[in-house]
């Protein structure tokens, strides 16, 4: 009996011990308010970031020789907890912002600090081939303002059915007007960069979406759901909107699949690059005029805060002239004049992007209410790179366009079959993207050359949160809206 019990107990203890290495906790301030995007470090090689609700998950088995878990965030006192005492729960970080001595303020102004920032930026921020391990979470809160559809012509469906189908589609769309839906997408992978060249390798991608409640677009799919009883489910269709091909081989049976296969990598790569690269080279971005156009803004040195044995100036900026586009705060290392944190918000009434082709193409897109929060981490060479970005914005989208579905022929002698539709859709969307750069390492040019980009990848669709999906991955902990998604 002992020979059976002892190995069983040993296995049980090992399992319990292994499970205990994964710890979930929360970080708050002295008013018990969650602190978002705190760096929680376990030795020099491994760390995590708290999410928007202050929650995080850390794997203590990756401690190496580290004996402490260290919490750090600009404006808060750094705290350290012994690994042996780290069992989860809530940890409090006191606020720590000090006023600058009047003499110090007179010696250097905010604009002088920012001038030094731009001057020193080329040497302060990493260049050369790099490999960035990233986790990207995107979330959308969508509201369907208006939606109208009309089947105007068809050789796929007989005329007697066409009228009834129009009524069915319009009824389905009326039910969605004014309704909201939310969706989340998450991706984990590697971005390789050298000069202006880049390659993306996606390891995993997941989308959390309730397809039945979704109002975020995919208008063609909604129509196809109604039409699928009347068209060939085994056939594929070419979908064209105006002059543009939307899909070469849409298939009705693909609408309910739990996996979308062979998604082009280019779109995800552009999203990751636009978040990380724009900020890694912020000093070359004319759009961020608050860094150089000093006559447009008013600047105040609010004080300083210690972080990682350094002193950080806190500079507040606000519009002075109508040409100014932003307001926010810039955090600058007093020793090397590197920006270590930046928060900027688009002034009310300003737009970050605007496309109005209503008369020509029946399309209008407006992006506004932009908010960006980013932090930079220092590498072993003393250079900085983005380690976290949060971008929030509002998107208004209007589309009033014709759409044509043509059945792809199996036999060249087959009769042409097509369907023409008029579509109007008006959507208001609040989107958030959070990019966590888990690791940023240098490469040689030769190493970059050996990397092969995966041109396509698969997305797994889920309708309910599953904690096993990201098990053993270092990611942002899920917020409550994800955990309670339905």
């Amino acid at each position: 009996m002992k020979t059976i019990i002892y190995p069983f107990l040993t296995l049980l203890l090992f399992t319990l011990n292994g499970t205990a290495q994964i710890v979930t906790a929360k970080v708050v301030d002295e008013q018990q308010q969650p602190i978002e995007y705190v760096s929680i470090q376990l030795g020099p090689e491994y760390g995590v970031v708290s999410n928007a609700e202050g929650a995080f998950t850390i794997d203590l088995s990756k401690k190496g020789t580290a004996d402490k878990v260290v919490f750090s965030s600009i404006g808060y006192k750094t705290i350290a907890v012994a690994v042996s005492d780290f069992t989860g729960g809530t940890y409090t970080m006191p606020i720590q912002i000090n006023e600058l001595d009047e003499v110090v303020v007179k010696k250097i102004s905010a604009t002088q600090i920012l001038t030094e920032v731009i001057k020193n930026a080329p040497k302060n921020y990493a260049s050369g081939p790099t490999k960035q391990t990233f986790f990207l979470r995107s979330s959308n809160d969508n509201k369907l303002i208006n939606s109208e559809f009309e089947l105007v012509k068809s050789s796929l469906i007989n005329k007697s059915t066409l009228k009834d189908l129009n009524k069915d589609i319009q009824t389905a769309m009326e039910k969605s007007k004014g309704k909201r839906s939310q969706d989340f997408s998450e991706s984990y992978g590697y971005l390789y960069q050298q000069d202006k060249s880049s390659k993306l390798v996606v390891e995993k991608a997941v989308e959390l979406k309730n397809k039945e409640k979704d109002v975020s677009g995919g208008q063609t799919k909604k129509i196809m759901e109604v039409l699928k009883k009347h068209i060939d489910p085994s056939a594929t269709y070419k979908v064209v909107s105006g002059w543009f091909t939307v899909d070469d081989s849409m298939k009705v049976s693909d609408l309910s699949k739990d996996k979308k296969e062979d998604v082009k990598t280019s779109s995800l790569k552009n999203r990751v690059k636009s978040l990380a690269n724009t900020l890694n080279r912020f000093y070359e971005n004319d759009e961020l005029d608050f860094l150089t156009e000093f006559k447009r803004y008013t600047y105040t040195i609010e004080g300083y805060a210690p972080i990682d044995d350094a002193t950080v100036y806190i500079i507040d900026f606000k519009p002075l002239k109508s040409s100014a586009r932003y307001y926010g705060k810039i955090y600058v290392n007093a020793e090397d004049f590197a920006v270590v944190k930046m928060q900027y918000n688009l002034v009310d009434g300003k737009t970050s992007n605007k496309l109005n082709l209503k008369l020509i193409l029946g399309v209008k897109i407006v992006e506004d209410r932009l908010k960006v929060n980013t932090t930079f981490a220092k590498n072993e060479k003393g250079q900085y790179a983005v380690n976290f970005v949060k971008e929030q914005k509002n998107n208004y989208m209007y589309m009033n366009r014709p759409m044509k579905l043509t059945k792809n022929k199996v036999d060249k002698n087959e009769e042409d079959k097509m369907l023409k539709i008029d579509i109007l859709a008006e959507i208001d969307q609040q989107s958030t993207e959070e990019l966590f750069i888990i690791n940023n390492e240098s490469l040689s040019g030769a190493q970059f050359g050996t990397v092969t980009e995966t041109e396509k990848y698969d997305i797994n669709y889920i309708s309910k949160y599953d904690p096993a999906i990201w098990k053993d991955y270092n990611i942002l902990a899920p917020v409550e809206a994800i955990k309670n998604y339905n």
Side-chain angles (χ1 to χ4, degrees), residues 111 114-115 118 285-299 317-321 323-326 330:
T111 54
L114 293 179
T115 300
I118 300 301
N285 187 353
D286 294 336
E287 179 68 20
L288 304 182
D289 62 346
F290 54 84
L291 294 166
T292 54
E293 299 297 328
F294 301 144
K295 292 182 179 180
R296 297 179 185 176
Y297 295 88
T298 178
Y299 301 86
F317 63 94
K318 293 181 175 67
L320 180 62
K321 295 185 177 180
S323 57
R325 294 174 54 79
Y326 301 97
I330 308 166

Side-chain angles (χ1 to χ4, degrees), residues 73-239:
S73 182
I74 296 173
Y76 296 89
K77 184 178 179 180
T78 298
I79 62 172
V81 181
V83 173
S84 57
D85 296 332
F86 196 81
T87 56
T90 301
Y91 296 88
T92 302
M93 295 181 71
I95 292 176
Q96 189 174 28
I97 296 178
N98 304 309
E99 292 185 6
L100 282 172
D101 185 275
E102 186 177 346
V103 177
V104 175
V105 174
K106 286 182 178 179
K107 279 185 178 180
I108 190 165
S109 67
T111 54
Q112 286 175 323
I113 293 172
L114 293 179
T115 300
E116 289 297 318
V117 164
I118 300 301
K119 175 183 173 183
N120 289 279
K123 68 178 181 182
N124 274 335
Y125 296 89
S127 58
T130 59
K131 173 187 176 183
Q132 296 176 325
T133 305
F134 72 89
F135 173 76
L136 176 67
R137 174 179 292 153
S138 303
S139 59
N140 298 303
D141 187 347
N142 316 289
K143 181 180 179 181
L144 184 63
I145 301 171
N146 192 17
S147 184
E148 296 177 10
F149 300 84
E150 184 181 5
L151 303 176
V152 294
K153 188 176 181 182
S154 175
S155 58
L156 288 170
I157 303 166
N158 61 58
K159 291 183 180 180
S160 61
T161 307
L162 200 60
K163 185 176 180 181
D164 291 335
L165 279 175
N166 263 320
K167 185 184 294 185
D168 290 344
I169 290 174
Q170 198 57 46
T171 300
M173 294 306 105
E174 284 291 336
K175 291 179 181 179
S176 297
K177 284 184 183 180
K179 295 288 181 67
R180 304 194 81 96
S181 69
Q182 194 171 26
D183 58 78
F184 298 87
S185 62
E186 298 177 326
S187 307
Y188 185 101
Y190 312 93
L191 177 66
Y192 299 85
Q193 298 187 93
Q194 181 182 36
D195 298 326
K196 294 183 179 180
S197 298
S198 60
K199 302 173 185 179
L200 188 74
V201 177
V202 181
E203 186 170 318
K204 197 171 195 178
V206 177
E207 187 162 334
L208 178 61
K209 178 183 286 188
N210 186 325
K211 294 182 181 180
E212 293 182 3
K213 295 181 179 179
D214 178 43
V215 300
S216 62
Q219 305 301 331
T220 306
K221 292 184 179 181
K222 287 180 171 60
I223 296 172
M224 294 291 277
E225 284 288 353
V226 178
L227 295 178
K228 66 183 181 182
K229 295 179 182 178
H230 304 275
I231 60 179
D232 185 353
S234 63
T236 63
Y237 297 83
K238 182 178 180 180
V239 183

Side-chain angles (χ1 to χ4, degrees), residues 205-351:
V206 177
E207 187 162 334
L208 178 61
K209 178 183 286 188
N210 186 325
K211 294 182 181 180
E212 293 182 3
K213 295 181 179 179
D214 178 43
V215 300
S216 62
Q219 305 301 331
T220 306
K221 292 184 179 181
K222 287 180 171 60
I223 296 172
M224 294 291 277
E225 284 288 353
V226 178
L227 295 178
K228 66 183 181 182
K229 295 179 182 178
H230 304 275
I231 60 179
D232 185 353
S234 63
T236 63
Y237 297 83
K238 182 178 180 180
V239 183
V240 176
S241 179
W243 301 330
F244 306 102
T245 299
V246 178
D247 198 325
D248 282 321
S249 55
M250 174 180 281
K251 197 172 183 180
V252 179
S253 58
D254 289 340
L255 296 177
S256 58
K257 279 189 174 182
D258 293 331
K259 179 182 285 188
K260 187 173 183 179
E261 299 173 340
D262 295 334
V263 180
K264 290 183 178 179
T265 301
S266 56
S267 178
L268 177 59
K269 181 167 69 173
N270 289 336
R271 283 165 58 203
V272 175
K273 285 174 58 181
S274 69
L275 290 169
N277 288 9
T278 300
L279 291 163
N280 275 327
R281 303 188 75 83
F282 66 84
Y283 51 93
E284 296 178 343
N285 187 353
D286 294 336
E287 179 68 20
L288 304 182
D289 62 346
F290 54 84
L291 294 166
T292 54
E293 299 297 328
F294 301 144
K295 292 182 179 180
R296 297 179 185 176
Y297 295 88
T298 178
Y299 301 86
T300 305
I301 303 179
E302 287 192 343
Y304 70 92
I307 183 75
D308 297 334
D309 300 321
T311 298
V312 175
Y313 292 116
I314 303 173
I315 301 173
D316 179 86
F317 63 94
K318 293 181 175 67
L320 180 62
K321 295 185 177 180
S322 60
S323 57
R325 294 174 54 79
Y326 301 97
Y327 65 93
K329 296 183 189 297
I330 308 166
Y331 300 76
V332 180
N333 188 314
E335 183 179 339
D336 55 18
F337 293 100
V339 172
V340 294
K341 183 177 180 179
M342 188 158 49
Q343 299 168 310
Y344 57 93
N345 310 276
L346 199 63
V347 172
D348 289 347
K350 301 284 186 180
T351 59

Side-chain angles (χ1 to χ4, degrees), residues 345-391:
N345 310 276
L346 199 63
V347 172
D348 289 347
K350 301 284 186 180
T351 59
S352 51
N353 280 299
K354 188 174 182 178
L355 176 69
N356 191 351
L357 297 174
K358 262 188 173 184
L359 296 178
I360 302 173
L361 296 176
V363 173
K364 181 178 180 181
I365 301 173
V366 178
E367 290 182 0
D368 60 7
R369 284 167 269 179
L370 176 71
K371 295 181 180 180
V372 176
N373 184 349
T374 184
T375 57
F376 299 81
K378 199 173 186 179
N379 64 19
E380 68 282 356
K381 295 180 180 179
Q383 291 184 306
Y384 296 82
V386 166
N387 75 324
F388 183 80
V389 186
K390 178 182 182 180
E391 181 186 86

